[in-house]
Amino acid sequence: MEIDGIISAILIGIVIGVLGRLVVPGRQRIGVLWTILVGIVAALIGSALAAAFGVADTKGVDWMEWLIQIGLAGLGVAALDRTKAGR
């Protein structure tokens, strides 16, 4: 992965993390950095899953890839929030 790919993964991860946080109802007790990290991981894993399912590269906007990434980010935010709530 080249530097432009890393920078784009971080930027997309920020957007995915924020969108994932928005789909989780209620208040989350995690910080902005955790949200960004969850978003980056969800973006990378979501891209790999979309490629595995053959929906990563379509004509126009890759809506299925975005939905997979946002869903994974939502799951990650919810899981991290649960671990923080237990403390």
Side-chain angles (χ1 to χ4, degrees):
M1 184 177 269
E2 294 183 19
I3 191 71
D4 61 341
I6 294 170
I7 291 172
S8 65
I10 291 170
L11 293 175
I12 290 171
I14 291 170
V15 172
I16 295 296
V18 169
L19 291 173
R21 193 170 178 147
L22 288 175
V23 299
V24 176
R27 182 177 185 272
Q28 293 85 36
R29 293 171 289 277
I30 64 171
V32 174
L33 291 177
W34 281 112
T35 302
I36 292 170
L37 287 174
V38 167
I40 292 170
V41 170
L44 294 173
I45 294 173
S47 292
L49 285 174
F53 290 129
V55 294
D57 293 320
T58 59
K59 294 180 182 177
V61 180
D62 297 325
W63 293 109
M64 290 305 296
E65 183 176 10
W66 275 82
L67 289 174
I68 292 169
Q69 291 171 337
I70 293 168
L72 288 173
L75 288 173
V77 166
L80 191 58
D81 183 47
R82 285 205 177 244
T83 60
K84 294 277 186 178
R87 293 183 185 177

Coordinates of all heavy atoms in Angstrom, one line a residue:
M1 N 0.8 -1.2 0.0 CA 0.0 0.0 0.0 C 0.9 1.2 0.0 O 1.8 1.3 0.8 CB -0.9 0.0 1.2 CG -1.9 1.1 1.3 SD -3.0 1.0 2.7 CE -4.4 0.1 2.0
E2 N 0.6 2.2 -0.9 CA 1.4 3.4 -1.0 C 0.9 4.4 -0.1 O -0.2 4.3 0.5 CB 1.4 3.8 -2.4 CG 2.1 2.9 -3.4 CD 2.2 3.4 -4.8 OE1 2.0 4.6 -5.0 OE2 2.4 2.5 -5.7
I3 N 1.6 5.6 0.0 CA 1.2 6.6 0.9 C -0.1 7.2 0.6 O -0.9 7.5 1.5 CB 2.3 7.7 1.0 CG1 2.1 8.7 2.2 CG2 2.4 8.5 -0.3 CD1 2.3 8.1 3.5
D4 N -0.5 7.3 -0.7 CA -1.8 7.9 -1.0 C -2.9 6.9 -0.6 O -4.0 7.4 -0.2 CB -1.9 8.3 -2.5 CG -1.7 7.1 -3.4 OD1 -1.1 6.1 -3.0 OD2 -2.1 7.2 -4.6
G5 N -2.7 5.7 -0.6 CA -3.6 4.7 -0.2 C -3.8 4.7 1.3 O -4.9 4.6 1.8
I6 N -2.7 5.0 2.1 CA -2.8 5.1 3.5 C -3.6 6.3 3.9 O -4.5 6.3 4.8 CB -1.4 5.0 4.1 CG1 -0.8 3.7 3.9 CG2 -1.5 5.4 5.6 CD1 0.7 3.6 4.3
I7 N -3.3 7.4 3.2 CA -4.0 8.7 3.5 C -5.5 8.6 3.2 O -6.3 9.0 4.0 CB -3.3 9.9 2.8 CG1 -1.9 10.1 3.4 CG2 -4.2 11.1 2.9 CD1 -1.1 11.1 2.6
S8 N -5.8 8.0 2.1 CA -7.2 7.8 1.7 C -7.9 6.8 2.7 O -9.1 7.0 3.0 CB -7.4 7.4 0.3 OG -6.8 6.1 0.1
A9 N -7.2 5.8 3.2 CA -7.8 4.9 4.2 C -8.1 5.6 5.5 O -9.2 5.4 6.1 CB -6.9 3.7 4.4
I10 N -7.2 6.5 5.9 CA -7.5 7.3 7.1 C -8.7 8.2 6.9 O -9.5 8.3 7.8 CB -6.2 8.1 7.5 CG1 -5.1 7.1 8.0 CG2 -6.5 9.1 8.6 CD1 -3.8 7.7 8.1
L11 N -8.7 8.9 5.8 CA -9.8 9.8 5.5 C -11.2 9.1 5.4 O -12.2 9.5 6.0 CB -9.6 10.7 4.3 CG -8.4 11.7 4.4 CD1 -8.2 12.4 3.1 CD2 -8.7 12.7 5.5
I12 N -11.2 8.0 4.7 CA -12.4 7.2 4.6 C -12.7 6.6 5.9 O -13.9 6.6 6.3 CB -12.2 6.1 3.5 CG1 -12.2 6.8 2.1 CG2 -13.3 5.1 3.6 CD1 -11.8 5.9 1.0
G13 N -11.7 6.2 6.7 CA -12.0 5.7 8.0 C -12.6 6.7 9.0 O -13.5 6.3 9.8
I14 N -12.2 7.9 8.9 CA -12.9 9.0 9.7 C -14.4 9.1 9.3 O -15.2 9.1 10.2 CB -12.2 10.3 9.5 CG1 -10.8 10.3 10.1 CG2 -13.0 11.5 10.1 CD1 -9.9 11.5 9.7
V15 N -14.7 9.1 8.1 CA -16.1 9.2 7.6 C -16.8 8.0 8.0 O -17.9 8.1 8.6 CB -16.1 9.5 6.1 CG1 -17.6 9.4 5.6 CG2 -15.5 10.8 5.7
I16 N -16.3 6.8 7.8 CA -16.9 5.6 8.2 C -17.2 5.5 9.7 O -18.2 5.1 10.1 CB -16.1 4.4 7.6 CG1 -16.1 4.3 6.1 CG2 -16.7 3.0 8.2 CD1 -17.4 4.2 5.5
G17 N -16.2 5.9 10.5 CA -16.3 5.9 11.9 C -17.4 6.8 12.4 O -18.2 6.4 13.2
V18 N -17.5 8.0 11.8 CA -18.6 8.9 12.2 C -19.9 8.4 11.8 O -20.9 8.4 12.6 CB -18.3 10.3 11.6 CG1 -19.5 11.2 11.8 CG2 -17.1 10.9 12.3
L19 N -20.0 7.8 10.6 CA -21.3 7.2 10.2 C -21.7 6.0 11.0 O -22.8 5.8 11.3 CB -21.2 6.9 8.7 CG -21.2 8.1 7.7 CD1 -21.0 7.6 6.3 CD2 -22.5 8.9 7.8
G20 N -20.7 5.2 11.3 CA -21.0 4.1 12.2 C -21.4 4.5 13.6 O -22.3 3.8 14.2
R21 N -20.9 5.6 14.1 CA -21.3 6.1 15.4 C -22.7 6.6 15.3 O -23.5 6.5 16.3 CB -20.3 7.1 15.8 CG -20.5 7.5 17.2 CD -19.3 8.4 17.7 NE -19.6 8.8 19.1 CZ -18.6 9.0 19.9 NH1 -17.4 8.9 19.6 NH2 -18.9 9.3 21.2
L22 N -23.1 7.2 14.2 CA -24.5 7.7 14.0 C -25.5 6.6 14.0 O -26.7 6.9 14.4 CB -24.5 8.6 12.8 CG -23.8 9.9 12.8 CD1 -23.9 10.6 11.5 CD2 -24.4 10.8 13.9
V23 N -25.2 5.5 13.4 CA -26.2 4.4 13.3 C -26.4 3.6 14.6 O -27.4 2.9 14.8 CB -25.9 3.4 12.2 CG1 -25.8 4.1 10.9 CG2 -24.6 2.6 12.5
V24 N -25.5 3.9 15.6 CA -25.7 3.2 16.9 C -26.5 4.1 17.8 O -26.2 5.3 18.0 CB -24.3 3.0 17.6 CG1 -24.5 2.4 19.0 CG2 -23.5 2.0 16.8
P25 N -27.7 3.7 18.3 CA -28.6 4.5 19.1 C -28.0 4.9 20.4 O -27.2 4.1 21.0 CB -29.9 3.7 19.2 CG -29.5 2.3 19.0 CD -28.2 2.3 18.1
G26 N -28.3 6.0 21.0 CA -27.9 6.4 22.3 C -26.5 7.1 22.3 O -25.9 7.3 21.3
R27 N -26.1 7.3 23.5 CA -24.8 8.0 23.7 C -23.7 7.0 23.8 O -23.8 6.0 24.5 CB -24.8 8.9 25.0 CG -23.6 9.6 25.2 CD -23.7 10.5 26.4 NE -22.6 11.4 26.6 CZ -21.5 11.0 27.3 NH1 -21.4 9.8 27.8 NH2 -20.5 11.8 27.4
Q28 N -22.6 7.2 23.1 CA -21.5 6.3 23.2 C -20.4 6.9 24.1 O -20.1 8.1 24.0 CB -20.9 6.0 21.8 CG -21.8 5.3 20.9 CD -22.7 6.1 20.1 OE1 -22.4 7.2 19.8 NE2 -23.9 5.6 19.9
R29 N -19.8 6.1 24.9 CA -18.8 6.6 25.8 C -17.3 6.3 25.3 O -16.5 6.0 26.1 CB -19.0 5.9 27.2 CG -20.3 6.3 27.8 CD -20.5 5.4 29.1 NE -20.9 4.1 28.7 CZ -22.2 3.7 28.4 NH1 -23.1 4.6 28.3 NH2 -22.4 2.4 28.1
I30 N -17.2 6.5 24.0 CA -15.8 6.3 23.5 C -15.4 7.7 22.9 O -16.3 8.5 22.5 CB -15.7 5.2 22.4 CG1 -16.6 5.5 21.2 CG2 -16.1 3.9 23.0 CD1 -16.4 4.5 20.1
G31 N -14.1 7.9 22.8 CA -13.6 9.2 22.3 C -13.5 9.2 20.7 O -13.8 8.2 20.0
V32 N -13.1 10.4 20.3 CA -13.0 10.6 18.8 C -11.9 9.7 18.2 O -12.1 9.1 17.1 CB -12.7 12.1 18.6 CG1 -12.4 12.3 17.1 CG2 -13.8 12.9 19.1
L33 N -10.8 9.6 18.9 CA -9.7 8.7 18.4 C -10.1 7.3 18.2 O -9.8 6.6 17.2 CB -8.5 8.8 19.2 CG -7.7 10.2 19.2 CD1 -6.6 10.2 20.1 CD2 -7.3 10.5 17.8
W34 N -10.9 6.8 19.2 CA -11.4 5.4 19.1 C -12.3 5.3 17.9 O -12.3 4.3 17.2 CB -12.0 4.9 20.4 CG -11.1 4.5 21.5 CD1 -10.8 5.2 22.6 CD2 -10.2 3.4 21.4 NE1 -9.9 4.5 23.3 CE2 -9.4 3.4 22.6 CE3 -9.9 2.4 20.5 CZ2 -8.5 2.5 22.9 CZ3 -9.0 1.4 20.8 CH2 -8.3 1.5 22.0
T35 N -13.2 6.3 17.8 CA -14.1 6.3 16.6 C -13.4 6.2 15.3 O -13.7 5.5 14.4 CB -15.0 7.5 16.7 OG1 -15.7 7.5 17.9 CG2 -16.0 7.5 15.5
I36 N -12.3 7.0 15.2 CA -11.5 7.0 14.0 C -10.8 5.7 13.8 O -10.8 5.1 12.6 CB -10.5 8.2 14.0 CG1 -11.2 9.5 13.9 CG2 -9.5 8.1 12.9 CD1 -10.3 10.7 14.2
L37 N -10.3 5.1 14.8 CA -9.6 3.8 14.7 C -10.6 2.7 14.3 O -10.3 1.9 13.4 CB -8.9 3.4 16.0 CG -7.6 4.2 16.3 CD1 -7.1 3.9 17.7 CD2 -6.6 4.0 15.2
V38 N -11.8 2.7 14.9 CA -12.8 1.7 14.5 C -13.2 2.0 13.0 O -13.3 1.0 12.3 CB -14.0 1.9 15.4 CG1 -15.2 1.1 14.9 CG2 -13.7 1.4 16.8
G39 N -13.3 3.2 12.6 CA -13.7 3.5 11.2 C -12.6 3.0 10.3 O -12.9 2.5 9.2
I40 N -11.4 3.2 10.6 CA -10.3 2.8 9.7 C -10.3 1.3 9.6 O -10.2 0.7 8.5 CB -8.9 3.3 10.2 CG1 -8.9 4.8 10.0 CG2 -7.8 2.6 9.4 CD1 -7.7 5.5 10.7
V41 N -10.4 0.6 10.7 CA -10.4 -0.9 10.7 C -11.6 -1.4 9.9 O -11.5 -2.3 9.1 CB -10.4 -1.5 12.1 CG1 -10.6 -2.9 12.1 CG2 -9.0 -1.1 12.8
A42 N -12.8 -0.8 10.1 CA -14.0 -1.2 9.4 C -13.9 -0.9 8.0 O -14.4 -1.7 7.2 CB -15.2 -0.4 10.0
A43 N -13.3 0.2 7.6 CA -13.1 0.5 6.1 C -12.2 -0.5 5.5 O -12.5 -1.0 4.4 CB -12.5 1.9 6.0
L44 N -11.1 -0.9 6.1 CA -10.2 -1.9 5.5 C -10.9 -3.3 5.5 O -10.8 -3.9 4.4 CB -8.9 -2.0 6.3 CG -8.1 -0.7 6.3 CD1 -6.9 -0.8 7.3 CD2 -7.6 -0.4 4.9
I45 N -11.5 -3.7 6.5 CA -12.1 -5.0 6.5 C -13.3 -5.0 5.6 O -13.6 -6.0 4.9 CB -12.6 -5.4 8.0 CG1 -11.3 -5.7 8.8 CG2 -13.4 -6.7 8.0 CD1 -11.6 -5.9 10.3
G46 N -14.1 -3.9 5.6 CA -15.3 -3.8 4.7 C -14.9 -3.9 3.2 O -15.6 -4.5 2.4
S47 N -13.8 -3.3 2.9 CA -13.3 -3.3 1.5 C -12.9 -4.7 1.1 O -13.2 -5.2 0.0 CB -12.1 -2.4 1.3 OG -12.5 -1.0 1.5
A48 N -12.2 -5.4 2.0 CA -11.8 -6.8 1.8 C -13.1 -7.7 1.6 O -13.1 -8.5 0.7 CB -10.9 -7.3 2.9
L49 N -14.1 -7.5 2.5 CA -15.3 -8.3 2.4 C -16.0 -8.0 1.1 O -16.6 -8.9 0.4 CB -16.2 -8.1 3.6 CG -15.8 -8.7 4.9 CD1 -16.7 -8.3 6.0 CD2 -15.8 -10.2 4.7
A50 N -16.1 -6.7 0.7 CA -16.8 -6.3 -0.5 C -16.1 -6.9 -1.7 O -16.7 -7.4 -2.7 CB -16.9 -4.8 -0.6
A51 N -14.8 -6.9 -1.7 CA -14.0 -7.6 -2.8 C -14.3 -9.1 -2.9 O -14.4 -9.6 -3.9 CB -12.5 -7.3 -2.6
A52 N -14.4 -9.7 -1.7 CA -14.6 -11.1 -1.6 C -16.0 -11.5 -2.2 O -16.2 -12.5 -2.8 CB -14.5 -11.7 -0.2
F53 N -17.0 -10.6 -1.9 CA -18.3 -10.8 -2.4 C -18.5 -10.3 -3.9 O -19.6 -10.5 -4.4 CB -19.4 -10.2 -1.5 CG -19.5 -10.8 -0.2 CD1 -19.4 -10.1 1.0 CD2 -19.7 -12.2 -0.1 CE1 -19.6 -10.7 2.2 CE2 -19.8 -12.8 1.1 CZ -19.7 -12.1 2.3
G54 N -17.5 -9.6 -4.4 CA -17.6 -9.1 -5.8 C -18.4 -7.9 -5.9 O -18.9 -7.6 -7.0
V55 N -18.6 -7.1 -4.9 CA -19.3 -5.8 -5.0 C -18.4 -4.6 -4.7 O -18.9 -3.5 -4.5 CB -20.5 -5.8 -4.0 CG1 -21.5 -6.9 -4.4 CG2 -20.0 -6.0 -2.5
A56 N -17.1 -4.8 -4.8 CA -16.2 -3.7 -4.5 C -16.1 -2.7 -5.6 O -16.1 -1.5 -5.4 CB -14.8 -4.2 -4.1
D57 N -16.1 -3.2 -6.8 CA -15.9 -2.3 -8.0 C -17.1 -2.4 -8.9 O -17.2 -3.4 -9.7 CB -14.6 -2.7 -8.8 CG -13.4 -2.4 -8.0 OD1 -13.3 -1.3 -7.3 OD2 -12.4 -3.2 -8.0
T58 N -18.0 -1.4 -8.8 CA -19.2 -1.4 -9.6 C -19.1 -0.1 -10.4 O -18.3 0.8 -10.1 CB -20.4 -1.5 -8.8 OG1 -20.5 -0.4 -7.9 CG2 -20.5 -2.8 -8.0
K59 N -20.0 0.0 -11.3 CA -20.1 1.3 -12.1 C -20.8 2.3 -11.2 O -21.9 2.0 -10.6 CB -20.9 1.1 -13.4 CG -20.2 0.2 -14.3 CD -21.0 0.1 -15.6 CE -20.3 -0.9 -16.5 NZ -21.0 -1.1 -17.7
G60 N -20.2 3.5 -11.0 CA -20.8 4.5 -10.1 C -20.4 4.3 -8.7 O -19.3 3.9 -8.4
V61 N -21.2 4.7 -7.8 CA -20.9 4.7 -6.3 C -21.1 3.2 -5.9 O -22.0 2.5 -6.2 CB -21.9 5.6 -5.6 CG1 -21.6 5.6 -4.1 CG2 -21.8 7.0 -6.1
D62 N -20.1 2.8 -5.1 CA -20.1 1.4 -4.5 C -21.0 1.4 -3.2 O -20.4 1.4 -2.1 CB -18.7 1.0 -4.2 CG -17.9 0.9 -5.5 OD1 -18.5 0.5 -6.5 OD2 -16.7 1.2 -5.5
W63 N -22.3 1.4 -3.4 CA -23.1 1.5 -2.2 C -23.0 0.3 -1.3 O -23.1 0.4 -0.1 CB -24.6 1.7 -2.7 CG -24.8 3.0 -3.3 CD1 -25.1 3.2 -4.6 CD2 -24.8 4.3 -2.7 NE1 -25.3 4.6 -4.9 CE2 -25.1 5.3 -3.7 CE3 -24.6 4.8 -1.4 CZ2 -25.2 6.6 -3.5 CZ3 -24.7 6.1 -1.2 CH2 -25.0 7.0 -2.2
M64 N -22.9 -0.9 -1.9 CA -22.8 -2.1 -1.0 C -21.6 -2.1 -0.2 O -21.6 -2.5 1.0 CB -22.9 -3.3 -1.9 CG -24.2 -3.6 -2.6 SD -25.6 -3.7 -1.3 CE -25.1 -5.1 -0.4
E65 N -20.5 -1.6 -0.8 CA -19.2 -1.6 0.0 C -19.4 -0.6 1.1 O -18.9 -0.9 2.3 CB -18.1 -1.1 -0.9 CG -16.7 -1.1 -0.2 CD -15.6 -0.8 -1.2 OE1 -15.8 -0.4 -2.3 OE2 -14.4 -0.9 -0.7
W66 N -20.0 0.6 0.9 CA -20.2 1.6 1.9 C -21.1 1.0 3.0 O -20.8 1.2 4.2 CB -20.8 2.8 1.4 CG -19.9 3.8 0.8 CD1 -19.3 3.7 -0.4 CD2 -19.3 4.9 1.5 NE1 -18.4 4.8 -0.6 CE2 -18.4 5.5 0.6 CE3 -19.5 5.5 2.7 CZ2 -17.7 6.7 0.9 CZ3 -18.8 6.6 3.0 CH2 -17.9 7.2 2.1
L67 N -22.1 0.3 2.7 CA -23.0 -0.3 3.7 C -22.3 -1.3 4.5 O -22.5 -1.4 5.7 CB -24.3 -0.9 3.0 CG -25.3 0.1 2.4 CD1 -26.4 -0.7 1.6 CD2 -25.9 0.9 3.5
I68 N -21.5 -2.1 3.9 CA -20.7 -3.1 4.7 C -19.8 -2.4 5.6 O -19.7 -2.8 6.8 CB -19.9 -4.1 3.7 CG1 -20.9 -4.9 2.9 CG2 -18.9 -4.9 4.5 CD1 -20.2 -5.7 1.8
Q69 N -19.1 -1.4 5.2 CA -18.2 -0.7 6.0 C -18.9 0.1 7.2 O -18.4 0.0 8.3 CB -17.4 0.4 5.2 CG -16.4 -0.3 4.2 CD -15.8 0.7 3.2 OE1 -16.4 1.8 3.0 NE2 -14.7 0.4 2.7
I70 N -20.0 0.7 6.9 CA -20.7 1.4 7.9 C -21.3 0.4 8.9 O -21.3 0.7 10.1 CB -21.8 2.3 7.3 CG1 -21.2 3.4 6.5 CG2 -22.8 2.9 8.4 CD1 -22.2 4.2 5.6
G71 N -21.8 -0.7 8.5 CA -22.3 -1.7 9.4 C -21.2 -2.3 10.3 O -21.4 -2.4 11.5
L72 N -20.0 -2.5 9.7 CA -18.9 -3.0 10.6 C -18.5 -1.9 11.6 O -18.2 -2.2 12.7 CB -17.7 -3.4 9.7 CG -17.9 -4.7 8.9 CD1 -16.7 -4.8 7.9 CD2 -18.0 -5.9 9.8
A73 N -18.5 -0.6 11.1 CA -18.1 0.4 12.1 C -19.2 0.6 13.2 O -18.8 0.8 14.3 CB -18.0 1.8 11.3
G74 N -20.4 0.4 12.8 CA -21.5 0.4 13.9 C -21.3 -0.7 14.9 O -21.4 -0.5 16.1
L75 N -21.0 -1.9 14.4 CA -20.7 -3.0 15.3 C -19.5 -2.8 16.1 O -19.5 -3.1 17.3 CB -20.5 -4.3 14.5 CG -21.8 -4.9 13.8 CD1 -21.4 -6.1 12.9 CD2 -22.7 -5.4 14.9
G76 N -18.5 -2.2 15.5 CA -17.3 -1.9 16.3 C -17.5 -0.8 17.4 O -17.0 -1.0 18.5
V77 N -18.2 0.2 17.0 CA -18.5 1.3 18.0 C -19.3 0.7 19.1 O -19.1 1.0 20.3 CB -19.2 2.5 17.3 CG1 -19.8 3.4 18.3 CG2 -18.2 3.2 16.4
A78 N -20.4 -0.1 18.8 CA -21.2 -0.7 19.9 C -20.4 -1.6 20.7 O -20.6 -1.6 22.0 CB -22.4 -1.4 19.2
A79 N -19.5 -2.4 20.2 CA -18.8 -3.4 21.0 C -17.8 -2.6 21.8 O -17.6 -3.0 23.0 CB -18.0 -4.3 20.0
L80 N -17.1 -1.6 21.3 CA -16.2 -0.9 22.1 C -16.9 -0.1 23.2 O -16.4 0.0 24.3 CB -15.4 0.1 21.2 CG -14.2 0.8 21.8 CD1 -13.2 -0.3 22.4 CD2 -13.5 1.7 20.8
D81 N -18.1 0.4 22.9 CA -18.8 1.1 23.9 C -19.2 0.2 25.1 O -19.2 0.6 26.3 CB -20.1 1.7 23.3 CG -20.9 2.6 24.3 OD1 -20.3 3.4 25.0 OD2 -22.1 2.4 24.3
R82 N -19.6 -1.0 24.7 CA -19.9 -2.0 25.8 C -18.7 -2.3 26.7 O -18.9 -2.5 27.9 CB -20.5 -3.3 25.2 CG -21.9 -3.1 24.7 CD -22.5 -4.5 24.7 NE -23.9 -4.3 24.2 CZ -24.9 -4.6 25.0 NH1 -24.7 -5.1 26.2 NH2 -26.1 -4.4 24.6
T83 N -17.6 -2.4 26.1 CA -16.4 -2.7 26.9 C -16.0 -1.6 27.8 O -15.6 -1.7 28.9 CB -15.2 -3.1 26.1 OG1 -14.8 -2.0 25.2 CG2 -15.4 -4.4 25.2
K84 N -16.2 -0.3 27.3 CA -16.0 0.9 28.1 C -17.0 1.0 29.2 O -16.7 1.5 30.3 CB -16.0 2.1 27.3 CG -14.9 2.2 26.2 CD -13.7 2.7 26.9 CE -12.6 2.9 25.8 NZ -11.4 3.5 26.3
A85 N -18.3 0.6 29.0 CA -19.3 0.7 30.0 C -19.1 -0.3 31.1 O -19.5 0.0 32.2 CB -20.7 0.4 29.3
G86 N -18.4 -1.4 30.9 CA -18.2 -2.4 31.9 C -17.2 -1.9 32.9 O -17.1 -2.5 34.0
R87 N -16.4 -0.9 32.7 CA -15.4 -0.4 33.6 C -15.9 0.5 34.6 O -16.8 1.2 34.7 CB -14.3 0.3 32.8 CG -13.5 -0.6 31.9 CD -12.4 0.1 31.3 NE -11.8 -0.8 30.3 CZ -10.8 -0.4 29.5 NH1 -10.4 0.8 29.6 NH2 -10.3 -1.3 28.7

